[in-house]
Amino acid sequence: MRRYPEEDRDNVDRWVVSYADFITLLFAFFTVMYGISRVDSAKLREFAGSARAAFGPASSAGGKPVIEGIVPVPREAIEMQKEAARIVEAAGMQGSLSVRREGRGIVLSMGENVLFDPGRSSVKTSSGAALSAVAAVLEKWRGDAAVEGHTDSLPVGGSVYASNWELSTARATNVLARLIEDHGIPAARLSAAGYAEFRPVVSNATPEGRARNRRVDVVLLLGNGAGGNR
């Protein structure tokens, strides 16, 4: 009777090992995907930015983010958001001035009641403390910033302005002037714009929502030269 070499009999079952390895890798892959789906998106973006900063060019290919589809958060944006929150808290302005981070930069937001009388664009003298806190943040940032006026969706009434466009633009311009004239922020670093009711933060369907949408935002802009000394 013909005898087969010992190694031939061993090779017959080697596919089982490869199959087991494949199943293990597949399980690990779906476990990771499930874990990513449960992570807070802001924390994931922050992780991506930190990883990119830590590993440098090796963490990306062709200049793309470490995790495809997620824009890394620049380190200066994370640090500046924390510094802005610290300044606002030290000034006791938490109720008048909020700080949040968006893709374009850090947003310092002040409600209409902090800055203006209803339907008016003249900056109230009582807003001095809030504007001082904004100026202190701008001095730390030393990059470009945009001052943006926003209204609710109701037509202006009993006002010298014919539309929400005019009112929001005038408010932004007047806040910009106060930052330049009263606090010495360089004019070359600032811009002003009015967006009327077209960039709400919440729905305009309720009085509370409309009150939140009537605001002026000062945005510390990320991008070319932003955040650097001038």
Side-chain angles (χ1 to χ4, degrees):
M1 183 174 63
R2 183 178 178 182
R3 295 177 60 86
Y4 290 93
E6 186 69 23
E7 59 270 20
D8 287 346
R9 289 198 299 271
D10 292 341
N11 287 339
V12 172
D13 297 327
R14 285 187 177 178
W15 68 272
V16 176
V17 177
S18 299
Y19 179 77
D21 289 342
F22 172 76
I23 293 298
T24 301
L25 290 173
L26 193 62
F27 174 79
F29 171 77
F30 283 110
T31 300
V32 171
M33 294 302 293
Y34 175 79
I36 290 176
S37 70
R38 302 285 293 181
V39 174
D40 181 80
S41 59
K43 291 182 178 178
L44 186 58
R45 286 193 298 270
E46 187 168 331
F47 166 77
S50 300
R52 186 177 186 183
F55 293 104
S59 64
S60 61
K64 294 183 179 180
V66 177
I67 300 178
E68 192 69 29
I70 298 177
V71 179
V73 179
R75 184 187 299 274
E76 67 267 25
I78 299 172
E79 294 177 355
M80 193 62 228
Q81 183 182 13
K82 293 178 180 177
E83 180 65 10
R86 184 194 65 78
I87 291 173
V88 170
E89 183 177 0
M93 289 289 106
Q94 303 96 314
S96 302
L97 180 58
S98 66
V99 180
R100 68 180 185 274
R101 186 173 72 233
E102 296 181 353
R104 59 188 179 138
I106 309 302
V107 182
L108 310 176
S109 188
M110 294 170 284
E112 174 192 55
N113 62 317
V114 175
L115 297 168
F116 312 104
D117 291 322
R120 310 294 294 181
S121 67
S122 299
V123 180
K124 298 191 294 187
T125 56
S126 58
S127 67
L131 290 177
S132 293
V134 171
V137 174
L138 288 172
E139 288 170 357
K140 291 284 186 179
W141 177 240
R142 301 193 66 80
D144 292 339
V147 182
E148 301 175 347
H150 303 270
T151 68
D152 59 26
S153 58
L154 298 180
V156 292
S159 172
V160 297
Y161 298 100
S163 68
N164 282 322
W165 286 109
E166 294 181 24
L167 176 60
S168 62
T169 302
R171 285 180 166 181
T173 302
N174 287 344
V175 169
L176 178 145
R178 298 276 64 79
L179 292 172
I180 295 172
E181 297 171 10
D182 297 345
H183 300 282
I185 304 300
R189 291 171 46 203
L190 300 177
S191 61
Y195 292 103
E197 69 267 28
F198 297 104
R199 294 193 181 183
V201 290
V202 294
S203 171
N204 276 305
T206 65
E208 294 78 14
R210 291 191 291 272
R212 287 185 60 186
N213 290 329
R214 297 192 298 268
R215 69 197 191 277
V216 169
D217 292 341
V218 178
V219 186
L220 313 184
L221 297 169
L222 296 173
N224 295 333
N229 292 333
R230 289 175 176 265

